[in-house]
Structure formats: structure tokens, C-alpha cells
Amino acid sequence: MHKKPYSKQRYIAASYACTTKDISAILTKCLKLIEKQHRIIGRQYDKNYGINPMWILHNSKSVHQSFADFNLKKNAKDIRTYDFTTLYTSIPHKQLRKELRWVIKKAFKSSKHSFISVYKHNASWTNSPGKDTEHLDCNKVIRLMNWLLDNIYVTFGDQVFRQVIGIPMGTDCAPFLANLFLYSYEYRWINEQKELNNWHVLKHFRSCSRYIDDLLMINNADLMKKYMTDIYPKELVLVPDDTNGKSCPFLDLQVNITDSIISTSIYDKRDAFHFPIVNFPTLTGNIPKKSSYGVFIGEVVRYARACSYFEDFKLRTLSLVSKLRKQGFIPRLLKRSWLKFCDSHLLLVQKYGPRVLFLYEDWM
């Protein structure tokens, strides 16, 4: 509803009862382990050559660490985000098979193990899998992936379609397939530039982060605009933001550069929606009160991590409290939750000074 034009839609193929779900779940555990191995490869590459080819993020925590490093040196010059207009539904299967085969083989070789043992909640490398433990060698992981790609069927109404381009949003392993597909191009492009001794180019790609289809570039001097068609396949269209290079949203953060210092605050695209958003518990219903007040603490923890300055944090917190009070939350209990939050997250809020302890006075 927030997209313009309003006819633009994103289709999700639910797979909770799909016959291929078990295979997708096994692949998810394997690919998660393989991605972790490539993080190890990336750290070693960075140690050897001064640049990390692993750009994949899981959340904004590592982004904050990157910002802190820049602020320590006070050398942030520009920042820009890029977005793939379509990703999941545009990946050619032939190229996906090829790139994932390379990713999987490289991870197995780097791990120095012959098998992946798959357990209920995770997977691990091994050379001697248990007799009763599900385990896969490199070729079997590749075969499972190829079989899954060849057997993607989506029902729409009373019709069944076979998906021959892209992967459906909704299958368990889709994020890992998409992430590692892009990673293979990023790694090889960086390695090619290293082999060509193009360090004048690579120095602008030392601070790259990607959360699936969202890219963040710091001190890139807009070189990604020049090289993005060299890095990624032509089927994927990468679009830069339209900002001045000093301010941009990324994940749940609004990022700004002022006097070579990076600051952040909360970014929520729902703030611009022209219709009301229904979220957070409403205590007029029959729901547990304790866990509902825990939602309040969880939100202010997120605000404190995201907001560099007290005024941004205060504005968000008071807006949250106002909404929760309209949904039946009691000011006295919100105050108790607030003091509990301050006590258990002292290191997180100390940047705001002692005034943060008395913020509850503004809503009592």
C-alpha cells in the first residue's frame, strides 16, 4: 500500500506445507554453515590484502561497528545506498547453479572437511559423521540445490506454474541462495582488481555492507555507479539513492555525515505512510501483561542502539509511550519498565548522560 505507483506489488510464495520444504530446510542449515565459512575466508583475505570481499550482513550491529571506526578517525566523507530493483525473481537458474557450485566447493575446500552433518537446529563440518546422522558431501549439497531449483512450482488460483527464472520469496533457503549468489560476483570482482593491482579502485570498496538486496557504501566516491555493471550480472539492476551523499536510510537507520562524523537515528518508512499502522499489543485484549511491557523495553533498546543523540531518542520514546498509552498501557508500569531498562542497559544509555534516567517524567 505504500508503494508508488500503488499497483506495484511483491508476491510471496508460502511454503509451510510444500513437499520440498524438508529439502529446503536441510539446504538452509548447510548454506548457513557455508556462508559462515566464507566469512572466515573473507577475514583471512582482509588480513592478507587489506580488503574484505564478504559484504553480507545479518543485522545493523556490524554497521554500527563500522561507523564507530570511521568516527574514531573522523574521516567519513560520503555515504550512499543502492538497491536491486528485483532480486529473487530475476536470478537466472543457470547462473545461480554455476555460482553456488563455486561457493559450495570453495567452502568445503577451505574447511578441510569432507562432510556436513545436519542436526535438528544447525549443521557442522565433520570428517567422520555419525552413522545415524544426516550428512552430505560437497556433491550431494550441490545435487540437492540443483534438484530444488528444478522443482520449484507455485500455485496461483487453480493453476500451477513452474518457476524457471528466479526463486520464490518464501522458501526457507531463498535468502542464503540470493546472498551467496551476489557474494560470488563480489568476491571474484575484488579478486580480479587485486590481481590487476587496481588498489586505487579497491581502496574505495573497503567499507561495503549488503543486507540481501540493500547495499551501503562509505567513502566510495560513487565509484559503484561506474563499476556495478562489471560486478553484477546484467539481469540484476542496481539503483543508487537520490541523496546528496551525506545522508541516507539503511535498514532501520537514518545515517548522516556532519563534519566527517557519522550519526544515526531511527528510520521507519511507515512514518511517511498516509494511513494508520496497527502495531504493538493492545491491553484491552486477553494477552499477558508482563510480555507486553517487555515489548516496550525491546523497542527502547532498539532506539538506544540506533540513535546517536538524546533528542532523537527522546522523540522516538515519547511517541512510543503515547501510542502505548492509547492502547491501554499504564504510565506507572511504563515507568517501572523504563527504570528496569535503564538499570539493565546502563552502558547503552550512558552516552545520553543522567537526563535519560528521568525521561519518564515527560509522560507521567
Side-chain angles (χ1 to χ4, degrees):
M1 292 176 68
H2 69 282
K3 294 288 187 182
K4 293 182 180 180
Y6 297 118
S7 59
K8 184 176 182 180
Q9 298 182 44
R10 177 176 292 165
Y11 297 94
I12 306 295
S15 63
Y16 73 97
C18 183
T19 56
T20 60
K21 184 173 178 62
D22 289 344
I23 288 179
S24 186
I26 290 172
L27 275 173
T28 298
K29 296 168 190 173
C30 292
L31 293 176
K32 185 175 182 179
L33 183 67
I34 286 167
E35 182 187 301
K36 185 177 180 181
Q37 188 62 36
H38 276 279
R39 290 189 183 280
I40 296 172
I41 293 172
R43 287 195 293 270
Q44 187 60 50
Y45 198 100
D46 191 15
K47 184 178 178 181
N48 293 338
Y49 306 113
I51 184 168
N52 192 340
M54 169 56 78
W55 298 352
I56 299 173
L57 293 171
H58 289 146
N59 51 51
S60 57
K61 184 177 179 180
S62 54
V63 177
H64 284 295
Q65 182 57 56
S66 177
F67 292 166
D69 294 340
F70 275 98
N71 289 344
L72 191 63
K73 300 173 185 175
K74 295 184 178 181
N75 66 344
K77 299 173 183 175
D78 58 80
I79 190 164
R80 190 170 296 284
T81 57
Y82 295 77
D83 177 60
F84 290 96
T85 54
T86 54
L87 177 57
Y88 286 94
T89 54
S90 299
I91 299 176
H93 284 192
K94 182 177 180 180
Q95 288 173 247
L96 182 59
R97 289 191 189 92
K98 176 186 173 184
E99 300 305 322
L100 265 293
R101 185 165 59 246
W102 174 84
V103 167
I104 294 166
K105 287 184 175 180
K106 188 172 182 66
F108 267 90
K109 183 178 180 180
S110 170
S111 74
K112 296 182 172 59
H113 290 89
S114 302
F115 299 95
I116 293 177
S117 288
V118 180
Y119 304 103
K120 184 177 181 179
H121 299 294
N122 64 343
S124 64
W125 299 106
T126 182
N127 281 321
S128 52
K131 184 174 65 173
D132 299 323
T133 302
E134 179 72 50
H135 57 278
L136 303 86
D137 61 15
C138 180
N139 290 329
K140 191 170 183 180
V141 174
I142 294 171
R143 286 201 305 273
L144 279 183
M145 178 197 67
N146 288 336
W147 187 91
L148 186 66
L149 292 176
D150 288 337
N151 290 274
I152 297 174
Y153 293 89
V154 180
T155 59
F156 186 79
D158 60 352
Q159 295 180 298
V160 178
F161 298 89
R162 180 181 179 186
Q163 186 154 356
V164 295
I165 299 175
I167 50 180
M169 296 174 66
T171 191
D172 292 46
C173 62
F176 289 97
L177 290 174
N179 255 334
L180 292 172
F181 175 70
L182 295 178
Y183 160 76
S184 67
Y185 288 97
E186 292 156 357
Y187 180 97
R188 282 212 290 271
W189 181 80
I190 285 177
N191 201 50
E192 286 171 6
Q193 300 307 306
K194 187 262 294 181
E195 295 294 329
L196 294 171
N197 286 320
N198 287 339
W199 298 106
H200 63 288
V201 173
L202 286 179
K203 71 178 182 180
H204 294 287
F205 287 83
R206 286 197 173 108
S207 298
C208 305
S209 304
R210 180 173 53 77
Y211 186 78
I212 305 182
D213 59 350
D214 292 320
L215 263 169
L216 176 71
M217 319 292 291
I218 306 174
N219 287 2
N220 181 250
D222 282 344
L223 284 185
M224 178 55 87
K225 293 180 181 179
K226 177 180 179 181
Y227 290 102
M228 57 189 181
T229 53
D230 295 336
I231 300 174
Y232 299 108
K234 65 180 184 301
E235 290 82 2
L236 304 182
V237 179
L238 192 61
V239 178
D241 64 49
D242 57 359
T243 68
N244 61 2
K246 298 294 182 180
S247 175
C248 65
F250 183 68
L251 302 182
D252 63 341
L253 301 174
Q254 179 64 40
V255 189
N256 297 284
I257 294 179
T258 306
D259 297 328
S260 301
I261 296 292
I262 300 175
S263 64
T264 58
S265 57
I266 288 287
Y267 170 74
D268 191 337
K269 65 174 66 175
R270 294 173 297 186
D271 292 342
F273 290 2
H274 60 279
F275 49 85
I277 302 298
V278 180
N279 58 350
F280 304 123
T282 300
L283 298 191
T284 54
N286 185 24
I287 61 174
K289 301 295 188 291
K290 185 176 180 180
S291 57
S292 297
Y293 284 91
V295 170
F296 168 66
I297 294 177
E299 277 297 287
V300 292
V301 167
R302 184 171 74 92
Y303 296 166
R305 285 175 177 159
C307 295
S308 301
Y309 301 121
F310 177 71
E311 289 305 318
D312 292 323
F313 175 71
K314 177 181 177 180
L315 186 65
R316 280 286 170 182
T317 302
L318 294 182
S319 175
L320 173 64
V321 169
S322 175
K323 184 165 190 173
L324 293 181
R325 289 184 65 175
K326 292 176 183 177
Q327 295 178 193
F329 283 70
I330 301 170
R332 175 177 54 84
L333 297 181
L334 284 171
K335 173 188 173 181
R336 183 186 299 174
S337 300
W338 176 260
L339 295 176
K340 181 180 177 181
F341 154 71
C342 291
D343 184 57
S344 57
H345 295 86
L346 185 61
L347 293 178
L348 187 59
V349 298
Q350 66 178 2
K351 61 186 175 183
Y352 300 134
R355 56 187 170 173
V356 72
L357 298 174
F358 305 100
L359 184 56
Y360 65 86
E361 294 178 353
D362 289 333
W363 74 68
M364 293 299 291

